[in-house]
Amino acid sequence: YSSVNERPVFATIGLRNQGWHITSKYYKFADFVALADVDSNVLSENVAKVEKNQKKKPDAYKDYRDVLARKDIDAVMIATPDHWHTKIAVEAMRAGKDVYCEKPLTLTISEGKLIEQVVKETGRVFQVGTMQRTESDQRFLLAVALIKH
């Protein structure tokens, strides 16, 4: 985005390990206005890191539902423990947010069907993290290209 007015507004829910990793890669694409984590130490540490990197302090929440209630957030990145992925993703889409969710997306087939249903119902953009396929020096993309050609 060339203009600040065009930049999407993001929040991250779940900030340990992968949550911080994905947040730290996307400053160039979006403004992070909110972070949520149940662990106040993890939350405050990550708020400070985001503020240092983007020169603006994001709001901090212990309860992810406070993030979803905000009308100014376009998308959320979910990096909570696995058993929370489906619940938060469904609630986020129903709150009008686009979603990036770390894998594994679901723990059961029925949760996968629910996600599919809510994506269709809401029309939200939804992506599941596949770091090895999209990063890792693009080895998977190279392998696909080699096989195709």
Side-chain angles (χ1 to χ4, degrees):
Y1 294 91
S2 57
S3 166
V4 173
N5 295 330
E6 296 175 356
R7 288 173 60 83
V9 178
F10 277 22
T12 302
I13 300 170
L15 293 160
R16 286 195 184 272
N17 305 317
Q18 197 62 14
W20 169 249
H21 179 73
I22 59 177
T23 300
S24 68
K25 289 183 168 243
Y26 293 99
Y27 297 124
K28 61 185 173 186
F29 302 114
D31 295 321
F32 285 85
V33 298
L35 303 177
D37 199 287
V38 296
D39 185 324
S40 58
N41 293 324
V42 170
L43 182 57
S44 62
E45 175 186 318
N46 283 278
V47 164
K49 289 194 282 189
V50 169
E51 182 179 20
K52 180 181 177 189
N53 282 287
Q54 70 177 13
K55 310 296 186 244
K56 185 176 178 188
K57 185 177 183 178
D59 295 331
Y61 298 97
K62 287 192 82 165
D63 188 330
Y64 74 90
R65 292 171 293 194
D66 294 329
V67 170
L68 301 184
R70 289 182 55 163
K71 301 296 181 208
D72 63 327
I73 295 173
D74 300 313
V76 296
M77 300 200 309
I78 301 169
T80 59
D82 301 349
H83 64 280
W84 282 96
H85 289 179
T86 299
K87 178 178 177 28
I88 296 172
V90 165
E91 290 177 19
M93 288 185 285
R94 289 190 172 146
K97 314 294 184 234
D98 294 329
V99 175
Y100 169 89
C101 188
E102 281 297 312
K103 63 182 192 239
L105 174 57
T106 66
L107 299 177
T108 66
I109 292 170
S110 63
E111 286 179 347
K113 289 179 180 179
L114 175 61
I115 293 282
E116 179 184 23
Q117 172 193 330
V118 175
V119 167
K120 288 178 182 175
E121 166 192 311
T122 63
R124 301 314 311 176
V125 174
F126 191 91
Q127 180 181 349
V128 180
T130 54
M131 186 175 79
Q132 288 182 330
R133 293 182 186 158
T134 56
E135 294 181 8
S136 303
D137 298 323
Q138 299 191 350
R139 289 177 287 193
F140 280 82
L141 295 175
L142 176 61
V144 169
L146 289 172
I147 290 168
K148 281 184 175 180
H149 292 49

